[in-house]
Amino acid sequence: MKVAILSGKGGAGKTFTSVNLALSAESCVYADCDVEAPNGGLFLRPETPVSVQEVSVSTPRFDADLCTKCRACVDFCAFGALAFIGTPLLFDEICHACGGCMMVCPVGAVSEAPRGVGQVEEYGCGSINVIAGRMNIGESSGMPVIRSVLREASRLESASDLVILDCPPGTACSAAECVKSADLCIIVAEPSVYGAHNLRMAHDLVSFFGKPCGVVLNKSMPGENPSKEYCLSSGIPILADIPFDREVAAALAGGRPAVEESPSLRAVFRDLLQRIRKELGEDSGEYAAETEVSAR
Amino acid sequence: MKQLLILSGKGGTGKTTVATALVELSGTRAFADCDVDAPNLHLSTKVCAPSEQTDFEGMPRAFVDTSLCTGCGACESRCRFGAIRVHDFAQSLDSASANCALDSVRRELARADSSPLASGGRRARVDRISCEGCRVCMHVCPEGAISMTPEVTGKTIVHASTDEVFSTACLRAGAGNSGKLVAAVKRNLTERASLLNEDAHAASPFAVIDGSPGIGCPVIASLAKVDMVLIVAEPSASGISDVERLLQVVGRLRVKVALCVNKADVDSASTQRLLELCEAASIPFAGAIPYDHCMAKNVSEGVFTWDGPGYEAVRQVYECVSRMLDDREG
């Protein structure tokens, strides 16, 4: 089963929740899908050799000798990634690699070559299989890297009963791609006006795909919590309520996972894991699968 | 009017809090929120001008005329985005109810009730979330069954009068093309700011633009034509790593950059590290804002007491930014 951890608002605690959940599970896959700002690896450091897979997209190359300057490619490109200055000229970062220009060229002057847009790292950290995507600086779209991470996560899903997807912030296409492939979505929400607003947007996204979801209230403080109020009024289950704690913030800042420092958080995340299994309505058969994997 | 863009790399470092405080401190009558898939600036700023909302169309998406489609699969085999698939109608309805991932297919099917659902058969269907609008499928379809139809992917919202302008937008859940929507937000800001009256102009030393987290398309789109970037950094392992990535993006442009640290006292070692980073990259350090829960809460609710350590530090950041924007040489 895949659990997507998302938030709408940045900095709500997606990586915090994902990493500590991963450390609380007997064995699992942790997949960092926040490829623009990947941080899970700062907490889950490699303990086994790191395999690095380059992610590339096919971008067109133009053979000037064959080109008849008909401009069919430039006219076809829906993204404005091609200009014609004596010969077709490509703006790499705008190209969506759809293959359209190659398809319409009447003389076969367009070929394709791979262009690297990022990497996917894979390694072990304790009993966690870590998959971490990283988009190259200057690229505009992280989608190809996210898709590669999700593909790897699906490949490892059969060997592990829990796959945690640490999603990008926001509610746009990149977060949607992760939500689409998840069995359960967990929205992490801050107790602020901003947090509640983005919680609602994230809830809309999850509802659009018809996924079951729950909320983790993070950095809770005494007093009003607009995010909690939203959960109660819209009937989203609150799976955990994690109080704000400066010690935890300091541990995070130093790159130390909180469950390793705080016994009370260890209990919180153990409970959260139970709640997740309950939300997914897992039967005992799935628990047996977990035991099998941890014996691996 | 000069433009100040606020970025952070990592999310949740305090971009909107700082942006709100800068709007208040500078007295500017022109500001915008470019974080179109998680906009929040409207929650903490006050504007009197009424809002004008306009539907925003992203790239047109492929649409299959099921009365012409023969289910040959030419489109599916050429689509690089996995956005068009041939489904057995009767079957895909059944599996849709069992498999949530097909929900968008189910919605589409429900909408196109004129299609020959009852008769079954194999037809192509478009996943309008995954479709990027390249038109390859339309080109390869031997039956001419595919056309491109406009897709509303969000809305732009402008509050504008001759006294003030606030430009923002909201992307529909799961939609792409946020870069284009960001560009529309900025266009609205520039157009409406040019219509401000003299008093409003005089009161506005610069326009404040709240940015997106990350380093991808919305950030790149928001960087166009700005005069200065203020990075709001968080003193943490994650915050540092993301600032390093952001600096590489911003460093490619000829734009002034300053950095301030928010919640600076939460981890002084990381704050020190950020200071060193600024020094190494020759970036002015605009200030260290201490963790001040009351300020963060007040600002997010649009309350300004201008009392306490947080406010004092933000004032210093404002002064640094003003100086840098005034400096023609820098």
Side-chain angles (χ1 to χ4, degrees):
Chain A
M1 65 180 189
K2 289 204 196 84
V3 177
I5 314 282
L6 70 160
S7 71
K9 183 174 182 312
K14 290 177 296 299
T15 301
F16 166 77
T17 305
S18 306
V19 164
N20 287 300
L21 198 59
L23 287 165
S24 306
E26 300 246 330
S27 98
C28 69
V29 174
Y30 166 87
D32 197 344
C33 305
D34 188 2
V35 302
E36 292 182 38
N39 292 325
L42 298 170
F43 301 95
L44 303 172
R45 297 197 184 89
E47 290 170 4
T48 63
V50 180
S51 80
V52 181
Q53 183 195 323
E54 286 293 322
V55 179
S56 55
V57 295
S58 303
T59 42
R61 295 287 173 265
F62 301 88
D63 186 329
D65 294 334
L66 292 177
C67 178
T68 59
K69 306 188 194 309
C70 73
R71 296 187 185 220
C73 54
V74 179
D75 293 340
F76 185 82
C77 182
F79 309 104
L82 288 174
F84 195 88
I85 302 169
T87 175
L89 183 74
L90 177 76
F91 297 100
D92 271 340
E93 290 83 3
I94 303 174
C95 177
H96 285 226
C98 70
C101 50
M102 187 168 74
M103 180 182 72
V104 296
C105 179
V107 294
V110 185
S111 58
E112 285 187 323
R115 184 175 71 83
V117 294
Q119 297 86 39
V120 175
E121 292 181 351
E122 222 177 297
Y123 56 85
C125 170
S127 57
I128 305 168
N129 267 320
V130 177
I131 306 168
R134 182 175 290 264
M135 182 183 91
N136 286 349
I137 307 285
E139 289 297 328
S140 66
S141 172
M143 292 294 274
V145 183
I146 293 174
R147 289 195 188 108
S148 296
V149 171
L150 292 173
R151 227 177 1 254
E152 286 303 297
S154 295
R155 192 174 59 76
L156 293 176
E157 192 176 8
S158 55
S160 187
D161 79 322
L162 178 65
V163 176
I164 297 167
L165 306 176
D166 188 356
C167 299
T171 51
C173 50
S174 54
E177 194 71 17
C178 303
V179 167
K180 216 159 55 172
S181 73
D183 302 299
L184 172 71
C185 295
I186 295 180
I187 308 171
V188 185
E190 274 181 10
S192 65
V193 179
Y194 298 153
H197 181 242
N198 296 156
L199 163 60
R200 201 182 70 214
M201 295 182 72
H203 186 217
D204 283 349
L205 175 67
V206 169
S207 309
F208 178 79
F209 287 105
K211 302 285 180 174
C213 78
V215 167
V216 168
L217 298 171
N218 193 21
K219 306 185 225 177
S220 285
M221 300 249 189
E224 280 176 34
N225 185 341
S227 294
K228 188 174 186 170
E229 284 157 26
Y230 177 78
C231 292
L232 296 176
S233 67
S234 55
I236 320 173
I238 296 170
L239 304 181
D241 190 345
I242 304 172
F244 176 76
D245 181 344
R246 266 188 83 139
E247 299 290 313
V248 170
L252 268 177
R256 300 184 303 277
V259 285
E260 287 177 2
E261 310 226 334
S262 155
S264 61
L265 271 181
R266 241 190 325 268
V268 165
F269 279 96
R270 252 200 321 269
D271 288 350
L272 177 58
L273 202 60
Q274 291 297 325
R275 285 296 303 269
I276 289 172
R277 296 195 195 285
K278 213 176 98 197
E279 288 298 323
L280 285 165
E282 288 195 354
D283 56 23
S284 52
E286 302 262 354
Y287 284 101
E290 181 193 52
T291 327
E292 206 172 283
V293 171
S294 55
R296 171 176 52 116
Chain B
M1 193 180 298
K2 286 183 177 171
Q3 295 186 348
L4 171 72
L5 172 66
I6 302 181
L7 295 176
S8 68
K10 183 177 180 316
T13 66
K15 283 182 299 298
T16 307
T17 302
V18 170
T20 304
L22 291 180
V23 166
E24 188 73 13
L25 277 167
S26 66
T28 187
R29 306 279 183 81
F31 47 99
D33 192 348
C34 284
D35 190 3
V36 296
D37 61 311
N40 281 332
L41 191 59
H42 64 286
L43 296 169
S44 49
T45 50
K46 294 183 199 80
V47 279
C48 300
S51 89
E52 303 158 26
Q53 303 198 358
T54 313
D55 279 348
F56 173 80
E57 284 180 5
M59 296 292 292
R61 305 286 144 120
F63 184 83
V64 179
D65 181 341
T66 45
S67 66
L68 296 174
C69 176
T70 60
C72 73
C75 51
E76 179 175 333
S77 67
R78 297 302 284 270
C79 177
R80 297 255 174 107
F81 311 105
I84 190 162
R85 295 236 160 81
V86 177
H87 289 276
D88 193 312
F89 267 28
Q91 238 179 43
S92 72
L93 267 184
D94 290 340
S95 61
S97 46
N99 181 359
C100 296
L102 284 172
D103 198 53
S104 52
V105 175
R106 188 174 52 190
R107 277 162 199 275
E108 182 106 338
L109 287 171
R111 202 163 39 203
D113 50 3
S114 62
S115 57
L117 283 186
S119 63
R122 293 174 65 73
R123 301 281 188 277
R125 274 291 166 191
V126 178
D127 172 351
R128 287 172 82 88
I129 292 276
S130 298
C131 176
E132 300 201 5
C134 70
R135 297 180 305 181
V136 164
C137 55
M138 183 175 90
H139 189 84
V140 298
C141 178
E143 310 298 331
I146 301 176
S147 57
M148 304 304 288
T149 57
E151 175 91 341
V152 173
T153 59
K155 59 185 179 208
T156 57
I157 303 157
V158 187
H159 296 260
S161 65
T162 52
D163 288 324
E164 60 184 357
V165 50
F166 170 46
S167 171
T168 180
C170 194
L171 192 71
R172 200 196 59 200
N177 295 120
S178 49
K180 273 179 112 176
L181 185 52
V182 167
V185 169
K186 294 200 62 183
R187 201 164 47 241
N188 285 341
L189 173 72
T190 314
E191 279 174 17
R192 295 308 188 91
S194 69
L195 302 176
L196 289 174
N197 62 31
E198 240 168 73
D199 284 351
H201 259 290
S204 307
F206 49 80
V208 174
I209 303 170
D210 195 7
S212 301
I215 55 171
C217 61
V219 168
I220 291 171
S222 66
L223 277 162
K225 294 183 188 164
V226 299
D227 298 278
M228 178 172 168
V229 173
L230 173 66
I231 299 176
V232 180
E234 177 188 281
S236 67
S238 307
I240 294 168
S241 165
D242 296 343
V243 161
E244 284 172 335
R245 286 168 68 78
L246 177 61
L247 282 176
Q248 289 184 59
V249 173
V250 176
R252 296 177 174 196
L253 306 163
R254 294 168 62 92
V255 59
K256 293 177 191 176
V257 184
L259 181 145
C260 66
V261 179
N262 192 20
K263 305 175 241 178
D265 50 341
V266 168
D267 188 53
S268 47
S270 297
T271 298
Q272 184 59 35
R273 177 85 191 79
L274 284 163
L275 264 162
E276 289 161 13
L277 219 109
C278 284
E279 217 157 278
S282 307
I283 290 169
F285 184 74
I289 306 167
Y291 178 77
D292 183 343
H293 176 67
C294 288
M295 183 192 83
K297 186 171 184 309
N298 287 346
V299 168
S300 83
E301 287 162 9
V303 179
F304 298 88
T305 61
W306 300 118
D307 192 19
Y311 288 106
E312 191 44 49
V314 173
R315 205 186 296 273
Q316 281 173 25
V317 171
Y318 164 64
E319 279 159 17
C320 173
V321 167
S322 302
R323 262 198 316 275
M324 284 181 70
L325 274 165
D326 282 343
D327 181 6
R328 279 158 218 274
E329 304 303 311

